Amino acid sequence: MATQQVELVAVDHEVWSGEAEVVNARTLEGEIGILPGHAPLLGVLAEGHVVRIGVSEGEEIRVAVHGGFLSVTDDGVQILAERAELSDDIDVSRARRAYDEHKDADEDDAEGRSAFLRAQARLDAAGETVDH
Ligand code: ATP
């Protein structure tokens, strides 16, 4: 299958770059799947979601991404995130603790809600079961 250049950068470090067949992400407009040759696009990433990079059949990179932008240009797909962690780098017990601590955060507790969404995305990226 054809591939496209993908670059995922957090504000303080590069998280992943390489060739991939597909990128799945959630923007404020909804879930998108980007294949090579996709029309140019600029989207705001939804808070606390998992970006899935399909490198090849059966090989998927999962990254917990916490806010940022996604763009598609002739050069490929670029994701700039405020914070992002590769699934392999996620400390599951820390994320579970944060999840339990913030799961009852009120709608008007913006910080608590964000911390909950980050924990949920980390667990999801790490392949742990979470209630959505
Ligand atoms: P916690 O309550 O566990 O500190 P948090 O969501 O408040 O979580 P952040 O402020 O988002 O933590 O992150 C601080 C730093 O720690 C960032 O560099 C982030 O990537 C990293 N980090 C946070 N939680 C985890 C985790 N479960 N596994 C790996 N890295 C994490």
Side-chain angles (χ1 to χ4, degrees):
M1 223 174 118
T3 61
Q4 58 200 328
Q5 177 67 29
V6 177
E7 209 170 349
L8 199 161
V9 181
V11 284
D12 53 355
H13 69 291
E14 176 168 286
V15 179
W16 192 87
S17 74
E19 292 284 322
E21 291 176 350
V22 61
V23 176
N24 290 292
R26 173 92 57 99
T27 69
L28 296 185
E29 278 84 46
E31 194 77 31
I32 46 169
I34 301 156
L35 294 166
H38 193 286
L41 173 83
L42 179 63
V44 175
L45 291 168
E47 206 182 358
H49 275 285
V50 179
V51 171
R52 293 168 203 277
I53 304 169
V55 176
S56 59
E57 179 100 29
E59 193 192 346
E60 185 180 72
I61 307 284
R62 292 191 309 277
V63 188
V65 172
H66 317 292
F69 298 94
L70 176 149
S71 61
V72 182
T73 65
D74 289 346
D75 295 331
V77 182
Q78 302 84 35
I79 294 170
L80 174 62
E82 273 168 41
R83 268 169 280 193
E85 300 101 25
L86 277 171
S87 56
D88 286 349
D89 295 336
I90 289 168
D91 176 339
V92 171
S93 49
R94 177 175 168 182
R96 275 257 171 245
R97 268 199 309 279
Y99 182 91
D100 288 339
E101 190 181 328
H102 299 290
K103 66 175 187 292
D104 299 322
D106 291 336
E107 286 297 326
D108 57 0
D109 173 10
E111 265 182 40
R113 281 293 300 164
S114 292
F116 171 71
L117 291 173
R118 289 197 297 276
Q120 195 177 48
R122 285 169 182 140
L123 291 172
D124 195 0
E128 296 286 307
T129 330
V130 277
D131 309 324
H132 280 275

